Amino acid sequence: MRRVWLCGLGVLAFGLALSLSPRARAAEPVDFAMEVLPLLEERCFKCHAASFRGRKKKPKGGLRLDGSGWILRGGNGGRAVVSRKPEVSLLHARISLPDSHDDVMPPDGDVFAKAEIDLIERWVREGANFGSWKGADGPKTVVPTKTDPETATTPRKVTPSIDRYAIYRQLAQDLKPASMGALKALRAAGARVTSVVPGSPLLRVEFMQDAAMVTDATLKILTPLRKHIGMLSLDSTKITDNAATILGTLPHLVRLDLQRTKITDKGIEALAKTPPRHLRRLNLYGTGVTDQSVAAMTRFTGLRRVFLWKTKVSSAGVQQLRSMLPQCEVSAQRILPTPEQPSENGNRRRRRN
Amino acid sequence: MRLRRYLNGFNSVARRDFISGAAKGLLGLTTVPWMTKFAQAQEAGKIPLAAATARNVIYCYMAGGMSHLDTFDLKPGAATQGPMKAIKTNADGVLVSQHFPLLAKHMDKVAVINSMNSTQGAHAQGRYFMHTSYQLRGTIRHPSMGAWLENMRGRVNTKLPAHVVVGGGAQMATNGFFDASLTPLPVGDPTSGLANSQRVEHVTAERFEHRIHRLEDMNKAFRDKFKARELDDYSKVYQEAMRLMDSKDLESFDIDKESQTVRDAYGSGRFGQGCLLARRLVERGVRFVEVVSGGWDTHSENFDQMADLCPPIDRGLSALLADLDARGMLDETLVILATEFGRTPDIVEDRSLGRNHYPRAFSCLMAGGGIKGGRTYGKTDAEGREVIEDIVRVQDFNATMAHALGLPLEFKMYSPSGRPFTVAHDGKPVKALF
């Protein structure tokens, strides 16, 4: 009896906890790079880009969709997108045709689902804003840049497994353990502090649960531990370009996570003036950095991995980074599967799963 | 209320387990200090931990026994293959079945283990073994990997549970003999359970307050009557639930926060949405998320059923791998696809081409978290009957997972009755996979 009651209380609390989840999702504008681009990449680039899977292509109908400049210029039939006017935007018009129509795009494979057409329509209606995305250089440039479609089907080299902690062992060699007082202060500021490798004096510092409270000022507490910081995550914190002043003083920084912060080219350039010598991994996804940062980043010669998805770095910039830092693996895209089509196989037994 | 309807779908024992699990899961939020005793001991240098290549796990579990020949151990041309076709992938020499065209583009990230071997040929026993590395016994409950991980390594985000199970009715992931606070938090249905509950619309803040107060009154009366010690803990559960509701941490459970395109990309079914929820949770510091997909017990109509069972996995897993990779999370997140056993190479014709249980040889996947992808490990014979190379026993598979997580394989933890147990029993990690 008692047990039943307790359980009831638990489940009631649980149910309430679940049902009150905040759901009010503001009608956010469509994010081109995140929502529309993957569709075009997957379904259109094959015929409407300067190159596809590393092979040069002649864009069909004179239309390139792999750069914002090209999309705006349009193909043989004129502009592909007219801001706020989906009804006269060829791109929208050609994907909205019925499956049986001769002119429907893509001509091969599955036509777009209603939700996808609606999404693109909404994007055009909202002003055909490309956000941070630029893609291949636009029509005006004399030498068209080679775009790098980097489709998910490009086989990636299997890198031999390396001891990813060797560097930490090396850096920790002459390091004494951090003082308890400094560690305490760091934890009191909401940081999660662990050893990069069990037993190592080098630290991994991250602000996971209180990220939103962390500002440039917070970072001052890192100073007494500057030699001890091997990994630092500022993911989703409120830091700005000014953080670079402190980040530049961390001599043993190997991994730096700045994703989803307000860091810009200015911050990266400032950091590049005194680049942490051992920096191997830099995460900038979801920041506003542009090709300007690419130039600065080439000074981080030890880099082995960079994340640039959802930034303003163009594919030419990615290409440049790859050629300047050939040892560095650059992740710049996320190619999700295109949404499923309603099954034409309606009579097949559907199982509940 | 949807949750009630969901719960009513269980038989009464399962329901009671689920409910007390839910309570304990929430309880865990209040009573677990940010470091467990084990982690404190470790911090004090008493227990050596190995360097980890992974810190989180997304464990996709195919309940029922996934046919190896029809998924990741293809034998083109063999009589045992039946009508199933193999397709090439972006990794040289790695084949998958025709139902995994999307995953085929991500196999460069995945290691396929084709030499899995279990000793348990029944569902309950097989699942238990897969989850705990020990055989099901009447006298003791062994902890599963998520509980070991939390116990030994503590939480990453102290405001969220360390261990969540999505979509699994059966109690497979468990705290075993560990403290009840290490019980995983069950989430019934990633979509209707959390995000779309009708309650949201019609429970106004006022009514909610009212309800809470009534609960408090009841609670007080009850407390006065029975002065049990654990009672305080349970009222903490509910206070914690309230605290959680104000908190933005609860947003972690709300996949409505993801754009529709992303949700569609993962697939609209439970498995895909479960994978999306898993990514959200891991991103916010939940360490171990199990996503369960049921229905793999294809005794009859194996080939027709596979055509329905595989596509959601194909889609969900591909989206998960691409998404984790772009965010820089894949190298620290071990993605697993596991099942209790494979299915008979011999096709049972009088059951419209079915396949029966087959623990002798089956396939599992590992990706991310330091695992070297783009290849297969281990081999079965030409018809998929016997492991002929690099056998990986269930406990070896779990030892490999523990090794990636940096958990000490030799370290003994004692049950209340004083018997010693280790994280993967007598398993040896497959170091060649890293």
Side-chain angles (χ1 to χ4, degrees):
Chain A
M1 157 63 210
R2 186 177 109 201
R3 177 167 184 181
V4 170
W5 189 89
L6 289 172
C7 291
L9 174 58
V11 84
L12 182 53
F14 183 61
L16 292 171
L18 300 188
S19 56
L20 281 208
S21 71
R23 74 188 302 261
R25 182 152 44 107
E28 284 199 317
V30 177
D31 178 341
F32 179 82
M34 213 175 122
E35 302 180 70
V36 179
L37 183 61
L39 298 175
L40 301 185
E41 271 166 352
E42 182 115 349
R43 316 276 280 279
C44 322
F45 275 25
K46 193 162 76 177
C47 304
H48 294 291
S51 71
F52 184 70
R53 293 189 190 153
R55 244 187 276 144
K56 277 221 169 103
K57 285 267 188 172
K58 189 161 171 283
K60 297 282 188 303
L63 175 66
R64 279 180 67 174
L65 298 174
D66 54 349
S68 53
W70 292 105
I71 296 179
L72 290 173
R73 190 196 73 168
N76 302 340
R79 295 171 66 183
V81 172
V82 183
S83 173
R84 302 193 195 283
K85 294 197 176 132
E87 48 304 333
V88 295
S89 295
L90 269 182
L91 192 153
H92 174 255
R94 299 283 298 258
I95 59 170
S96 326
L97 295 168
D99 198 358
S100 53
H101 198 286
D102 278 344
D103 291 340
V104 68
M105 288 290 145
D108 59 348
D110 296 335
V111 294
F112 273 33
K114 170 104 174 42
E116 295 167 321
I117 298 173
D118 290 349
L119 177 82
I120 287 176
E121 183 188 337
R122 192 151 71 82
W123 170 69
V124 176
R125 214 174 274 294
E126 286 168 355
N129 192 338
F130 292 97
S132 57
W133 185 78
K134 224 169 116 250
D137 280 344
K140 264 173 230 134
T141 36
V142 194
V143 193
T145 40
K146 259 200 217 147
T147 52
D148 174 28
E150 204 204 0
T151 64
T153 45
T154 322
R156 199 192 282 168
K157 272 175 267 124
V158 179
T159 40
S161 59
I162 36 157
D163 179 358
R164 61 161 108 169
Y165 293 105
I167 175 134
Y168 295 107
R169 275 193 278 275
Q170 180 202 324
L171 293 179
Q173 258 168 17
D174 302 313
L175 208 56
K176 290 201 191 69
S179 87
M180 286 312 266
L183 285 177
K184 240 181 161 169
L186 204 51
R187 288 194 172 124
R192 177 178 197 267
V193 188
T194 47
S195 294
V196 289
V197 191
S200 169
L202 273 178
L203 303 175
R204 174 175 194 166
V205 177
E206 52 203 321
F207 295 89
M208 192 139 229
Q209 49 206 39
D210 298 312
M213 322 272 282
V214 174
T215 63
D216 294 333
T218 319
L219 300 188
K220 290 203 186 81
I221 51 167
L222 297 179
T223 302
L225 291 167
R226 44 183 282 274
K227 289 196 175 146
H228 289 91
I229 294 172
M231 298 184 185
L232 178 63
S233 172
L234 299 172
D235 182 0
S236 306
T237 59
K238 294 267 160 21
I239 58 125
T240 70
D241 289 332
N242 296 329
T245 1
I246 297 220
L247 298 179
T249 63
L250 309 175
H252 297 144
L253 195 58
V254 174
R255 167 174 169 172
L256 180 58
D257 289 351
L258 296 174
Q259 64 267 35
R260 302 185 289 187
T261 61
K262 292 260 162 354
I263 199 97
T264 70
D265 294 333
K266 256 177 73 191
I268 300 299
E269 279 168 348
L271 190 58
K273 290 206 182 95
T274 50
R277 273 206 302 142
H278 303 285
L279 192 66
R280 289 274 174 102
R281 186 183 191 277
L282 179 59
N283 196 333
L284 292 171
Y285 112 70
T287 63
V289 299
T290 73
D291 288 356
Q292 226 172 308
S293 285
V294 167
M297 269 190 278
T298 57
R299 300 198 49 201
F300 302 119
T301 48
L303 271 187
R304 292 293 178 273
R305 196 102 162 80
V306 176
F307 298 88
L308 295 174
W309 171 54
K310 279 179 85 180
T311 63
K312 297 182 188 168
V313 176
S314 69
S315 29
V318 170
Q319 199 63 24
Q320 189 193 350
L321 192 58
R322 285 195 180 125
S323 58
M324 299 290 283
L325 298 175
Q327 299 213 57
C328 181
E329 190 182 337
V330 184
S331 304
Q333 289 199 23
R334 176 184 70 164
I335 306 213
L336 294 177
T338 42
E340 57 212 325
Q341 302 291 320
S343 167
E344 73 288 355
N345 217 345
N347 55 355
R348 197 167 62 201
R349 194 164 56 95
R350 280 277 143 211
R351 318 184 80 259
R352 280 183 5 107
N353 186 7
Chain B
M1 164 180 180
R2 291 264 179 93
L3 187 65
R4 166 85 46 73
R5 211 181 314 142
Y6 175 65
L7 289 171
N8 285 341
F10 294 154
N11 63 38
S12 61
V13 174
R15 181 159 67 234
R16 200 186 58 217
D17 280 359
F18 174 90
I19 292 170
S20 64
K24 284 182 204 153
L26 281 169
L27 185 62
L29 291 172
T30 60
T31 58
V32 175
W34 82 272
M35 278 205 297
T36 59
K37 285 202 185 77
F38 184 96
Q40 278 161 2
Q42 179 257 317
E43 192 85 345
K46 289 192 196 120
I47 300 155
L49 283 189
T53 57
R55 90 159 167 189
N56 318 300
V57 180
I58 297 178
Y59 186 86
C60 304
Y61 192 75
M62 308 297 110
M66 180 185 80
S67 168
H68 54 303
L69 280 161
D70 302 314
T71 53
F72 302 107
D73 191 8
L74 280 292
K75 304 286 176 188
T80 51
Q81 186 69 85
M84 193 62 75
K85 300 266 181 305
I87 58 173
K88 287 191 178 154
T89 69
N90 71 341
D92 268 355
V94 178
L95 298 179
V96 296
S97 92
Q98 66 195 68
H99 297 308
F100 293 99
L102 301 171
L103 195 57
K105 299 177 188 171
H106 294 281
M107 292 307 285
D108 57 335
K109 307 181 184 79
V110 180
V112 181
I113 302 170
N114 280 333
S115 50
M116 291 294 302
N117 170 271
S118 173
T119 53
Q120 306 296 309
H123 294 292
Q125 283 78 359
R127 283 174 201 173
Y128 187 90
F129 190 38
M130 200 67 200
H131 278 78
T132 66
S133 309
Y134 287 91
Q135 289 187 18
L136 182 58
R137 291 272 153 77
T139 49
I140 186 157
R141 287 238 289 173
H142 302 90
S144 58
M145 188 65 69
W148 280 99
L149 177 63
E150 181 176 5
N151 203 1
M152 289 183 165
R153 286 276 188 169
R155 294 185 176 192
V156 173
N157 183 337
T158 57
K159 292 185 181 165
L160 291 175
H163 186 188
V164 175
V165 181
V166 185
Q171 304 290 296
M172 295 182 281
T174 157
N175 61 311
F177 58 78
F178 290 164
D179 192 87
S181 62
L182 296 169
T183 307
L185 177 74
V187 173
D189 179 331
T191 49
S192 66
L194 295 169
N196 300 328
S197 171
Q198 291 151 358
R199 283 283 203 99
V200 180
E201 274 96 45
H202 70 249
V203 175
T204 60
E206 210 174 295
R207 277 188 62 190
F208 179 64
E209 281 280 292
H210 176 71
R211 200 167 293 181
I212 291 295
H213 284 141
R214 272 202 44 197
L215 204 59
E216 220 154 37
D217 292 346
M218 278 167 61
N219 196 7
K220 191 167 177 304
F222 189 84
R223 206 167 18 194
D224 292 346
K225 205 160 163 196
F226 307 87
K227 292 227 177 326
R229 200 178 61 89
E230 53 188 306
L231 211 56
D232 265 348
D233 289 341
Y234 274 95
S235 69
K236 272 194 213 148
V237 166
Y238 125 87
Q239 280 164 11
E240 189 63 27
M242 286 196 24
R243 190 190 66 78
L244 197 65
M245 277 179 276
D246 297 330
S247 143
K248 74 175 196 349
D249 298 315
L250 198 61
E251 271 185 39
S252 315
F253 288 89
D254 187 2
I255 53 174
D256 257 5
K257 289 276 179 291
E258 301 282 332
S259 82
Q260 193 58 42
T261 317
V262 171
R263 291 188 60 174
D264 290 348
Y266 272 83
S268 55
R270 269 199 194 179
F271 179 77
Q273 299 293 292
C275 285
L276 178 56
L277 177 59
R279 192 223 77 215
R280 274 183 77 81
L281 292 174
V282 166
E283 195 170 29
R284 287 159 180 78
V286 174
R287 293 197 101 150
F288 197 106
V289 185
E290 173 163 349
V291 185
V292 181
S293 158
W296 294 84
D297 198 17
T298 52
H299 287 285
S300 55
E301 299 178 13
N302 173 69
F303 297 94
D304 285 349
Q305 294 207 52
M306 289 308 264
D308 287 342
L309 288 163
C310 298
I313 310 300
D314 181 37
R315 171 169 290 279
L317 207 52
S318 314
L320 181 65
L321 291 172
D323 208 1
L324 289 173
D325 197 28
R327 288 167 195 266
M329 293 167 64
L330 188 61
D331 48 1
E332 278 199 312
T333 306
L334 184 60
V335 179
I336 301 273
L337 182 113
T339 184
E340 56 254 36
F341 37 64
R343 305 206 74 86
T344 45
D346 291 322
I347 299 164
V348 187
E349 300 212 0
D350 59 3
R351 287 223 218 110
S352 345
L353 308 185
R355 292 195 196 262
N356 295 328
H357 301 179
Y358 199 72
R360 296 176 76 87
F362 62 107
S363 299
C364 290
L365 308 181
M366 285 192 177
I371 295 290
K372 226 195 295 174
R375 68 232 178 97
T376 57
Y377 180 87
K379 227 188 206 165
T380 55
D381 60 24
E383 299 198 312
R385 293 178 192 278
E386 302 288 336
V387 174
I388 53 168
E389 224 174 71
D390 297 329
I391 189 164
V392 178
R393 300 168 308 156
V394 164
Q395 56 274 46
D396 299 330
F397 184 80
N398 289 334
T400 308
M401 223 194 311
H403 175 76
L405 292 163
L407 305 180
L409 296 171
E410 310 288 325
F411 190 81
K412 294 187 183 66
M413 300 283 271
Y414 292 86
S415 69
S417 59
R419 287 159 61 202
F421 296 94
T422 54
V423 57
H425 194 191
D426 59 353
K428 302 269 173 301
V430 183
K431 295 200 175 150
L433 286 169
F434 294 87

